Amino acid sequence: MKISIIGGAGYVGLITGLGLAFHGHDVICMDNDQKKIDLLNSGQLPVYEKDLAELLKAAMTKNRVVFTNCIKTAVQESDLIMITVGTSGTRNGETDMSQLLKALKSLSYYMDNYKVIIIKSTVPVGTCDMAKRVIRDNLKNPLISYDLVSNPEFLKEGNAVSDFLQPDRIVVGVDTPHSEAVMKELYKTFDAPLIVTDTRSAEMVKYACNAYLATRISFINEIAEISEHVDADIHAIQAAMKLDQRIGNLYLNPGPGFGGPCLVKDLKSLLSFADKANVHLPLLQGVLNRNEAQITNIFHYINSEIKDSADKKISVLGLSFKAGTDDTRNSPAVRMLEKLIDTKANIYVYDPVVKSLPEHLQSRVTLAGSIEDCIFDADCLIVMTEWPEFQSLNLETVYHLMQTPFIVDTRNIFHPKNAYDHGFWYKGIGVTSSRYTNIAEVLENINYA
Ligand SMILES: NC(=O)c1ccc[n+]([C@@H]2O[C@H](COP(=O)([O-])OP(=O)(O)OC[C@H]3O[C@@H](n4cnc5c(N)ncnc54)[C@H](O)[C@@H]3O)[C@@H](O)[C@H]2O)c1
């Protein structure tokens, strides 16, 4: 099939485009960011993502993908138009629909025959209905027919290629038998259950999934907090919970809270459109509040322990919102740095993949060139991202590099007993210093696969 992706050089658009090319479709990745299009045309990637370089190479070698900034080509040379533009959050939590509206208006202007228009961006419930009206109002030729489909994306950054190529399920929301048949044809080579529903339910599935994942993270952070106060061991609790098949083992690690481009903004968006529908969602509001408190609580702890931060050096490991990606959107690490710059300390950060600081941090934070430079002479080391490079650090070396052996491990990547044995003043999430016995050794041998 001939498919165009509007927003096709963005994270989701690129993986979707290259993934569909891998499945034998002819894909046009259209994006209005000329820099990204130029990079892609020269065989380079605008994002860091495992296995994506191989997918790009394969698609280019087989001439299955074209990168362009020309919307006219994208619309007129394809049967299906998939939209993957950004839908970031506004200040009041609503979804910013400006990129989507612009894309809809410009594609309807160039439509010259029947098209299936697929919204893959995460959008509030009812958006497909709204998009149908926008297209109708902007068609140059009002006799042209079209169908609107919702096809939310569930990939996880850091594992996005495999998530796209081997999804747990594919969800499509349709309102005509023809568009249903087209979507079945599009995904017929994928080995995954296809859930076909109406457009509103498909749009809601995405919010339901993200709200649930966010709930698990806030839940385990809350359990970690109470465990700390009653001297219970969060590692043992996690291990036991994860082995319960009704619960499952993912999204149950205590940490600095959820971040990234989706969970926070999607939860806020859900709360916002629920509010407009006069529906109060106290559980999900609590999930969001808990998440906002998480970083604040960790920061207050660091601030109170360091006391006078003047001339102290604080080193932060990690900038991306999680390991395996260079995405710093809504990253807990960035949120921590935003708090740290209000202290008098000298702030250093290192990330193995992110090589530039967000602009608003540049005057107050030093981006170190290596882990050693970051840690050297530090009075506090804060682990914000669970990169494997950090997990394999030799604590003896770290101890000798630091001025004051104080580690705040927001990802619980270090073994607490190991850290205490090396003489560190160590703070994990839900970890009390009094408690380290051989339980950790037992847990290390558990295989969750
Ligand atoms: N990143 C994720 O992990 C993820 C996962 C699932 C769903 N989503 C959803 O997918 C959507 C896209 O997210 P993303 O992370 O890929 O965003 P992104 O910012 O990386 O990509 C969006 C792309 O759209 C392009 N664009 C914007 N307006 C355009 C227009 N009018 N014409 C052509 N191109 C245009 C931008 O230049 C950009 O390259 C969002 O709705 C997001 O919530 C993201």
Side-chain angles (χ1 to χ4, degrees):
M1 296 173 105
K2 289 183 168 177
I3 306 144
S4 283
I5 316 277
I6 313 293
Y11 223 111
V12 169
L14 185 58
I15 288 159
T16 303
L18 296 177
L20 291 174
F22 181 83
H23 274 268
H25 298 293
D26 290 314
V27 178
I28 299 175
C29 282
M30 182 270 156
D31 202 291
N32 59 8
D33 186 329
Q34 188 61 47
K35 263 196 204 154
K36 289 185 192 171
I37 292 295
D38 291 344
L39 263 183
L40 286 161
N41 275 324
S42 69
Q44 297 173 70
L45 290 170
V47 292
Y48 174 89
E49 184 63 49
K50 185 176 67 177
D51 301 331
L52 195 55
E54 290 75 11
L55 214 56
L56 174 65
K57 201 170 163 200
M60 289 181 105
T61 311
K62 290 185 179 157
N63 283 326
R64 288 227 176 273
V65 68
V66 168
F67 298 104
T68 179
N69 66 357
C70 179
I71 182 82
K72 185 176 177 210
T73 308
V75 172
Q76 297 186 351
E77 292 183 14
S78 60
D79 308 314
L80 279 70
I81 303 170
M82 201 175 258
I83 305 178
T84 60
V85 298
T87 49
S88 55
T90 61
R91 268 180 188 278
N92 59 9
E94 286 175 11
T95 302
D96 178 352
M97 303 290 270
S98 58
Q99 291 189 10
L100 181 75
L101 284 172
K102 196 172 163 209
L104 288 169
K105 285 178 187 168
S106 45
L107 74 87
S108 40
Y109 183 83
Y110 290 109
M111 266 165 59
D112 54 352
N113 55 25
Y114 171 82
K115 306 282 177 196
V116 175
I117 297 152
I118 304 158
I119 301 187
K120 193 171 255 311
S121 301
T122 305
V123 288
V125 176
T127 298
C128 274
D129 295 335
M130 178 276 284
K132 215 179 274 176
R133 294 191 295 274
V134 173
I135 294 176
R136 184 194 61 206
D137 295 347
N138 288 277
L139 275 177
K140 229 176 157 186
N141 176 354
L143 296 177
I144 289 171
S145 62
Y146 56 93
D147 277 315
L148 250 297
V149 172
S150 166
N151 175 212
E153 180 51 55
F154 301 98
L155 59 77
K156 300 179 291 300
E157 292 188 11
N159 202 47
V161 171
S162 145
D163 286 346
F164 185 83
L165 295 178
Q166 289 111 34
D168 294 335
R169 73 327 206 169
I170 295 165
V171 176
V172 297
V174 293
D175 55 13
T176 65
H178 181 71
S179 56
E180 177 176 344
V182 169
M183 294 309 286
K184 284 183 172 162
E185 177 69 18
L186 175 67
Y187 286 118
K188 76 173 180 200
T189 52
F190 283 67
D191 182 19
L194 184 72
I195 308 256
V196 181
T197 180
D198 58 280
T199 55
R200 284 176 180 252
S201 306
E203 288 163 343
M204 192 65 202
V205 168
K206 178 66 189 175
Y207 287 97
C209 290
N210 276 359
Y212 179 66
L213 295 174
T215 302
R216 285 173 69 97
I217 296 171
S218 279
F219 168 84
I220 198 69
N221 280 337
E222 208 148 283
I223 296 296
E225 184 176 357
I226 180 62
S227 299
E228 220 171 281
H229 283 83
V230 297
D231 198 18
D233 187 339
I234 194 63
H235 291 85
I237 295 161
Q238 262 178 283
M241 286 187 73
K242 288 177 175 185
L243 288 170
D244 186 326
Q245 289 183 18
R246 296 167 303 175
I247 296 173
N249 65 24
L250 299 176
Y251 286 75
L252 266 190
N253 296 327
F258 51 85
C262 296
L263 292 193
V264 176
K265 74 133 171 107
D266 291 350
L267 193 50
K268 285 185 178 171
S269 171
L270 173 55
L271 288 165
S272 159
F273 66 74
D275 194 48
K276 282 188 189 142
N278 284 323
V279 179
H280 183 44
L281 304 178
L283 169 69
L284 296 180
Q285 185 60 56
V287 168
L288 188 62
N289 295 347
R290 168 80 230 180
N291 197 55
E292 279 166 10
Q294 191 72 1
I295 278 278
T296 309
N297 294 348
I298 299 170
F299 169 73
H300 285 322
Y301 169 79
I302 294 166
N303 212 20
S304 68
E305 293 298 319
I306 287 192
K307 294 182 184 80
D308 181 12
S309 58
D311 296 329
K312 297 261 169 67
K313 174 174 173 179
I314 299 181
S315 302
V316 174
L317 290 184
L319 255 176
S320 59
F321 83 93
K322 64 175 177 179
T325 177
D326 59 352
D327 201 336
T328 58
R329 287 178 284 182
N330 224 329
S331 167
V334 172
R335 283 160 59 212
M336 176 61 83
L337 289 167
E338 285 164 351
K339 293 186 184 299
L340 291 170
I341 58 177
D342 286 337
T343 68
K344 292 181 181 145
N346 300 312
I347 318 294
Y348 283 67
V349 64
Y350 172 78
D351 188 283
V353 172
V354 184
K355 293 300 169 202
S356 64
L357 281 166
E359 213 175 299
H360 66 292
L361 297 175
Q362 285 174 5
S363 62
R364 275 288 282 120
V365 178
T366 304
L367 187 63
S370 67
I371 301 183
E372 290 71 22
D373 285 351
C374 186
I375 295 175
F376 180 71
D377 238 6
D379 297 286
C380 174
L381 171 61
I382 311 173
V383 178
M384 291 301 304
T385 311
E386 71 286 24
W387 283 104
E389 291 83 337
F390 304 157
Q391 299 187 33
S392 59
L393 275 172
N394 179 322
L395 285 183
E396 198 173 326
T397 311
V398 175
Y399 184 91
H400 290 296
L401 279 170
M402 290 181 73
Q403 173 73 28
T404 313
F406 176 30
I407 295 180
V408 178
D409 180 4
T410 76
R411 299 285 185 170
N412 287 359
I413 64 167
F414 295 123
H415 194 308
K417 185 169 187 300
N418 196 18
Y420 295 127
D421 287 351
H422 276 90
F424 281 98
W425 168 19
Y426 174 85
K427 172 79 183 82
I429 306 296
V431 173
T432 48
S433 54
S434 59
R435 127 155 330 267
Y436 273 86
T437 62
N438 65 0
I439 181 76
E441 280 152 37
V442 175
L443 300 176
E444 257 184 5
N445 295 322
I446 293 179
N447 182 5
Y448 291 112

